């Protein structure tokens, strides 16, 4: 496909798609509590996306059966919501959501504690989130793509966490997944040069234990191989002319 540089009109549409998705994530954060099912979250998220004039882009994407990916504890990504999975006090839950607005995609993920969680779980969530912000310090025109990857990896390494290698970030635009692929782990090569107009989904996925993951029999849910907790944090960003990236999905 090649990396697509967006024009001003496209950027405005992606920006609005992302702004609306930020609202969805904010409302879902306030909805999280012990006793609700992962299906409740999916239904709520689907309703919010449609109310805001969007279409949930995960629903039926390559056969995925829900609008919101809801991944609990050792589930890294792509957990399938069900009415039988009830959130418990002390769980952590990752919500990965996206929407299509006037033909343009947005994508973002957050990990939340359910009620009171352990200090160790909170640190994992905090480090994962901060690794994103460390990474995008390098997301400037003229730098190279893997400068982002290396900055994420350098921040996470002292904590001894596993950085998932089987799943990576990606470009976003008229398709949910565009070039380039964006690893969260250290790279030897530099990768393509960053240019204004690139819209990228940067998404560290960090395990408390080893980096190894496996797929469950539903062919979607990715879990940590050692059963350790996993956290996920993602935003769609824009590479700008003025040097500082714009985070499009923050609300």
């Amino acid at each position: 496909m090649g990396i697509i540089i967006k024009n001003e009109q496209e950027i405005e549409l992606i920006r609005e798609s992302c702004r609306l998705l930020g609202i969805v994530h904010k409302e879902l954060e306030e909805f999280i509590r012990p006793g609700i099912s992962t299906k409740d979250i999916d239904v709520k998220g689907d309703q919010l996306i449609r109310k805001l004039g969007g279409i949930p882009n995960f629903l039926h994407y390559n056969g995925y059966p829900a609008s919101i990916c809801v991944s609990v504890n050792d589930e890294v990504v792509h957990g399938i919501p069900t009415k039988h999975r009830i959130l418990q006090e002390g769980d952590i839950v990752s919500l990965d959501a996206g929407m299509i607005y006037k033909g343009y995609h947005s994508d973002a993920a957050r990990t939340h504690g359910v009620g009171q969680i352990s200090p160790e779980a909170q640190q994992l969530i905090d480090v994962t989130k901060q690794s994103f912000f460390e990474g995008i310090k390098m997301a400037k025109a003229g730098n190279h793509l893997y400068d982002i990857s290396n900055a994420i990896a350098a921040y996470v390494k002292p904590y001894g966490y596993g950085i998932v290698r089987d799943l990576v970030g990606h470009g976003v635009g008229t398709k949910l997944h565009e070039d380039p692929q964006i690893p969260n782990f250290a790279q030897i090569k530099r990768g393509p040069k960053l240019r204004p107009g690139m819209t990228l989904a940067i998404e560290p996925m960090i395990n408390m234990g080893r980096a190894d993951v496996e797929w469950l029999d539903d062919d979607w849910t990715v879990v940590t191989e050692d059963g350790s907790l996993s956290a996920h944090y993602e935003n769609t960003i824009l590479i700008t002319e003025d040097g500082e990236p714009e985070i499009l999905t923050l609300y």
Side-chain angles (χ1 to χ4, degrees):
M1 180 190 301
I3 301 173
I4 300 170
I5 304 299
K6 312 305 190 299
N7 62 36
E8 283 302 318
Q9 182 180 4
E10 291 173 312
I11 289 169
E12 282 304 314
L13 289 168
I14 294 171
R15 184 180 281 122
E16 182 63 7
S17 180
C18 288
R19 185 187 72 83
L20 296 172
L21 182 60
I23 295 172
V24 172
H25 267 293
K26 184 64 176 175
E27 295 207 21
L28 288 178
E29 178 182 7
E30 295 170 356
F31 184 66
I32 297 296
R33 63 187 184 276
I36 64 171
S37 73
T38 55
K39 183 63 176 177
D40 292 333
I41 297 169
D42 179 54
V43 170
K44 177 75 169 178
D46 184 275
Q47 291 173 343
L48 287 168
I49 289 169
R50 296 181 190 280
K51 181 180 177 181
L52 291 167
I55 300 168
N57 53 10
F58 291 177
L59 184 61
H60 307 312
Y61 182 78
N62 291 336
Y64 184 75
S67 297
I68 311 294
C69 295
V70 187
S71 307
V72 183
N73 294 335
D74 66 331
E75 296 172 350
V76 181
V77 287
H78 305 159
I80 298 176
T82 168
K83 64 181 181 180
H84 303 295
R85 185 68 184 270
I86 307 299
L87 297 184
Q88 306 292 326
E89 184 91 13
D91 285 343
I92 66 172
V93 57
S94 298
L95 309 182
D96 193 356
M99 65 186 289
I100 307 167
Y101 177 78
K102 295 186 178 179
Y104 285 84
H105 290 258
S106 51
D107 193 4
R110 308 281 187 265
T111 300
H112 305 290
V114 181
Q116 188 72 31
I117 64 174
S118 71
E120 294 80 10
Q122 188 61 58
Q123 178 178 274
L124 176 67
I125 293 172
D126 293 344
V127 169
T128 302
K129 179 178 180 178
Q130 187 58 35
S131 73
F132 163 87
F133 287 99
E134 295 299 320
I136 67 161
K137 289 178 181 178
M138 305 304 295
K140 300 178 181 180
N143 285 353
H144 289 258
L145 185 69
Y146 297 156
D147 294 334
I148 300 172
S149 309
N150 292 338
I152 291 170
Y155 180 77
V156 173
K157 185 177 180 180
Y159 294 92
Y161 296 147
I163 302 173
V164 174
R165 303 176 70 90
D166 296 65
L167 301 145
V168 297
H170 51 91
V172 181
T174 55
K175 294 182 171 60
L176 175 58
H177 293 108
E178 297 182 350
D179 286 336
Q181 293 192 349
I182 310 166
N184 300 299
F185 47 93
Q187 302 292 302
I188 297 173
K189 295 182 179 180
R190 302 186 71 189
K193 185 172 285 190
L194 297 174
R195 296 171 54 195
M198 289 183 176
T199 46
L200 309 172
I202 312 295
E203 52 177 320
M205 290 156 273
I206 311 297
N207 301 341
M208 188 175 285
R210 299 194 310 272
D212 307 273
V213 299
E214 58 187 7
W215 274 253
L216 298 185
D217 289 342
D218 62 21
D219 289 331
W220 277 106
T221 308
V222 181
V223 299
T224 58
E225 196 174 84
D226 60 7
S228 64
L229 296 178
S230 186
H232 185 196
Y233 188 83
E234 174 187 23
N235 282 301
T236 300
I237 71 164
L238 169 69
I239 305 299
T240 66
E241 294 276 2
D242 66 8
E244 293 302 321
E246 182 180 349
I247 306 174
L248 301 174
T249 42
L250 280 184
Y251 180 74

